[in-house]
Amino acid sequence: MFTDEAQVSVNIQSSWRKSQQSVQESRGCQTRSIQSAEAGVQVHHSVISSTQTEPQDHVTTEYLHDPQNAQHFPSLKEFLRKVEVPVIRELVKNSKSHAFDGFQVNWEEQNQKVLCLHQLQHPRALERDLHVTSVSWSCTGAVIACAYGRMAEGDWSNDKSYVCTWNLDHSGLKPKQADIVIDVPTAVTSLCCHPKHPAIMAGGLFTGEVVIWDTRQSTDPVLAQTGMSADSHREPVCQVTWVPLQNKGEYDVLSACSGGRIQLWTVSLEQGKISLKAAFAVLQQQLLSSNTNFKGEGSSIVGVTSLDLSPWDPDTFLVGSEGGLLLRCSLSSHTPAAIPSECLSVPLRAPAVFAFRPGGGPVHSIHCSPFHRNLFLSAGTDGLAHLHSLLQTNPLRSLRVSDTYVFKVQWSPTRPLLFATATGQGEVQIFDLSRRSPRPAATIDPGGIGHAATCLSFNCKNPGLLAVGKTDGRVGVWKLSTDLTEQIPTESQLLDQITNQVTE
């Protein structure tokens, strides 16, 4: 049905392709050539100029400094010749004047002389109307210790009291809450921190006991105590102080009571023991036979009210009595006391070696100068502060401090002629003997009517701090200005002049 058949192919050329190729042309485009050139510039020179002051007149300076040209200024020459004699006369006069002796220029802004930093109190002591009887700084100067009791207690009170401490360097200080509170079964009449151990304190009680406390022992801080033994005091302890031992770096405790007995105790901190080492008694009969200045009556025993150890001689201590008597005593005295030893384990000795002129009443406080071995202060019921020398009986000076009692007097640890007094009116008067005026250099506000300032203490590590205890149960810590703490240039010379009044 189907058969192969070859057909002839027909090619038809496209006329459109050829027509389009014929009309195509090549075209080209280019911008004009860019013309470029390099050129440089630099200044030929530079000038820097500045000015602050006006140009100096060299001609005038030359004439003024050359005496030969003074003739060009006849008016100046005549003026200098006219004032030469009076100016030299005034300069000579000023060189001999003492109007500004002791004056020290203070370029700093004048600040308040005293500023209250803290008012410390123990709530339980306030509730029971206890008085602050003694304050003492630790050897580091960071802790203030405070003893509570009652001033002039008329009976043998068994009411308990307290010893409290505050660390002023602690960031969490609470003025109304003591860091450490030690309960004491009776009134504490005296307190003294250890010179080397910040946790150790010695105290005297109303019952006559001497106690050593260690604040590191939280459960029972009593390290040692005399107890009610035959060697103990029979009357309230008026003062305790630490006595350095030679070549040992250790300390004994010296205590005194109103019964006239002064006792030296050996303290073993390692064993927690205290034992009687020596005992002294101040007797009127022996004083009358050795010193014609003292006229006593009544009992043969002189009641001791105050005591201080010389920082220059560990063997010398000063004693004040109820009758106003001032005595220089020796720890090495071997003179037997003219009374029985009253069953003491050691014999009684008479310590007095020199008597000063008696005052008008009981001597509440004595303090030896830390800057001169022969000077000391005393104060008491006559309202005066007396400056004494160990070399003569009469006082060098007497300053009126208060119309009532003066309970405490203490030298500044940095100013040789400055001391503070605590008065029965509640004021603390700070006196500067380098001033010509007898008025106090500063007065600390009493802060309460009817509350006596019973005790005070300078901080030896931080002399700008002064602690004051009062009968309202509060302890004020005051900041002193540099005027009251920094020694003036002529102060040591003035101190020598006062002392030399004795030898002239």
Side-chain angles (χ1 to χ4, degrees):
M1 176 184 293
F2 298 97
T3 60
D4 296 332
E5 183 177 356
Q7 297 292 336
V8 179
S9 61
V10 179
N11 294 328
I12 302 174
Q13 299 293 330
S14 173
S15 61
W16 178 83
R17 185 182 298 272
K18 291 181 178 181
S19 63
Q20 290 295 324
Q21 291 178 349
S22 62
V23 298
Q24 290 180 354
E25 295 180 0
S26 297
R27 297 286 188 268
C29 181
Q30 185 176 2
T31 60
R32 297 178 181 179
S33 58
I34 299 174
Q35 301 294 329
S36 62
E38 294 182 2
V41 65
Q42 184 176 4
V43 296
H44 295 285
H45 63 278
S46 62
V47 177
I48 299 176
S49 63
S50 62
T51 180
Q52 183 176 358
T53 60
E54 297 179 355
Q56 187 176 8
D57 188 352
H58 297 283
V59 178
T60 304
T61 305
E62 180 182 356
Y63 277 111
L64 289 176
H65 285 81
D66 190 352
Q68 297 181 356
N69 295 325
Q71 57 185 354
H72 296 279
F73 298 91
S75 58
L76 177 60
K77 180 180 179 180
E78 183 65 24
F79 171 76
L80 294 177
R81 182 177 298 169
K82 181 179 179 180
V83 301
E84 178 182 5
V85 175
V87 168
I88 292 178
R89 183 173 60 249
E90 292 300 322
L91 290 175
V92 173
K93 184 188 299 183
N94 291 340
S95 65
K96 299 179 180 180
S97 174
H98 299 283
F100 294 96
D101 286 355
F103 176 75
Q104 185 179 18
V105 179
N106 186 3
W107 301 108
E108 299 180 357
E109 183 180 357
Q110 294 294 328
N111 297 324
Q112 189 177 1
K113 287 193 174 183
V114 291
L115 177 65
C116 185
L117 297 181
H118 309 286
Q119 283 288 347
L120 310 176
Q121 57 186 359
H122 181 47
R124 284 182 285 173
L126 294 180
E127 293 173 0
R128 301 179 54 239
D129 296 327
L130 295 180
H131 306 161
V132 179
T133 56
S134 184
V135 290
S136 179
W137 293 95
S138 67
C139 60
T140 62
V143 176
I144 180 67
C146 164
Y148 288 94
R150 285 191 175 89
M151 302 295 294
E153 189 71 33
D155 58 357
W156 286 83
S157 174
N158 291 322
D159 292 341
K160 69 176 183 178
S161 63
Y162 312 96
V163 172
C164 300
T165 66
W166 286 267
N167 189 339
L168 302 187
D169 290 346
H170 196 278
S171 58
L173 174 67
K174 297 179 180 179
K176 296 184 179 181
Q177 181 179 341
D179 298 329
I180 297 175
V181 178
I182 301 175
D183 293 326
V184 186
T186 187
V188 183
T189 53
S190 181
L191 186 69
C192 186
C193 292
H194 196 282
K196 298 295 183 181
H197 299 284
I200 304 297
M201 299 180 292
L205 306 185
F206 188 80
T207 55
E209 294 182 78
V210 176
V211 185
I212 309 298
W213 291 290
D214 186 351
T215 57
R216 294 170 298 183
Q217 301 176 182
S218 57
T219 56
D220 184 13
V222 176
L223 182 64
Q225 61 182 357
T226 59
M228 300 300 293
S229 64
D231 288 340
S232 298
H233 292 288
R234 305 298 173 84
E235 291 82 13
V237 178
C238 64
Q239 198 154 350
V240 293
T241 185
W242 295 91
V243 181
L245 301 180
Q246 296 181 354
N247 303 325
K248 290 186 178 181
E250 299 178 352
Y251 292 82
D252 288 341
V253 171
L254 188 66
S255 63
C257 73
S258 58
R261 278 200 345 215
I262 303 166
Q263 300 185 172
L264 183 65
W265 306 87
T266 297
V267 180
S268 175
L269 299 180
E270 293 78 11
Q271 299 178 2
K273 293 182 179 180
I274 182 170
S275 58
L276 186 60
K277 183 177 182 180
F280 308 91
V282 182
L283 306 177
Q284 287 186 2
Q285 290 89 340
Q286 290 176 319
L287 293 173
L288 286 168
S289 61
S290 61
N291 192 297
T292 59
N293 292 322
F294 176 64
K295 297 179 180 180
E297 298 179 358
S299 174
S300 62
I301 299 179
V302 178
V304 177
T305 54
S306 56
L307 176 146
D308 192 41
L309 187 71
S310 171
W312 304 91
D313 182 8
D315 182 64
T316 299
F317 65 97
L318 300 172
V319 171
S321 74
E322 293 176 348
L325 186 66
L326 274 172
L327 300 173
R328 179 162 62 91
C329 302
S330 172
L331 291 173
S332 60
S333 173
H334 295 286
T335 303
I339 59 173
S341 296
E342 300 177 353
C343 300
L344 292 175
S345 59
V346 296
L348 275 172
R349 293 179 284 174
V353 295
F354 186 81
F356 303 91
R357 191 187 74 182
V363 181
H364 287 311
S365 180
I366 304 174
H367 193 220
C368 296
S369 170
F371 292 93
H372 200 286
R373 65 181 303 113
N374 292 329
L375 293 181
F376 70 95
L377 290 165
S378 69
T381 56
D382 58 2
L384 299 174
H386 303 281
L387 176 64
H388 299 268
S389 169
L390 293 177
L391 305 180
Q392 71 175 26
T393 58
N394 295 328
L396 301 176
R397 294 185 185 181
S398 296
L399 298 176
R400 170 60 62 182
V401 176
S402 172
D403 295 331
T404 61
Y405 299 166
V406 179
F407 287 106
K408 189 69 176 181
V409 61
Q410 190 175 57
W411 289 101
S412 164
T414 57
R415 290 281 311 276
L417 293 177
L418 188 136
F419 63 91
T421 59
T423 71
Q425 295 173 319
E427 294 180 337
V428 173
Q429 306 278 11
I430 300 177
F431 290 89
D432 187 353
L433 297 179
S434 65
R435 294 158 52 102
R436 296 186 178 182
S437 173
R439 298 178 62 85
T443 300
I444 293 180
D445 188 351
I449 301 175
H451 297 296
T454 57
C455 52
L456 60 82
S457 179
F458 283 98
N459 190 328
C460 293
K461 292 297 183 181
N462 188 353
L465 296 183
L466 176 66
V468 179
K470 306 188 70 176
T471 54
D472 62 357
R474 292 177 172 84
V475 177
V477 178
W478 296 81
K479 175 68 175 178
L480 306 181
S481 67
T482 55
D483 293 342
L484 302 176
T485 57
E486 293 184 359
Q487 186 176 154
I488 62 177
T490 60
E491 195 160 358
S492 297
Q493 290 80 358
L494 293 174
L495 182 68
D496 292 335
Q497 291 178 10
I498 294 175
T499 309
N500 290 338
Q501 296 175 10
V502 181
T503 58
E504 289 180 354

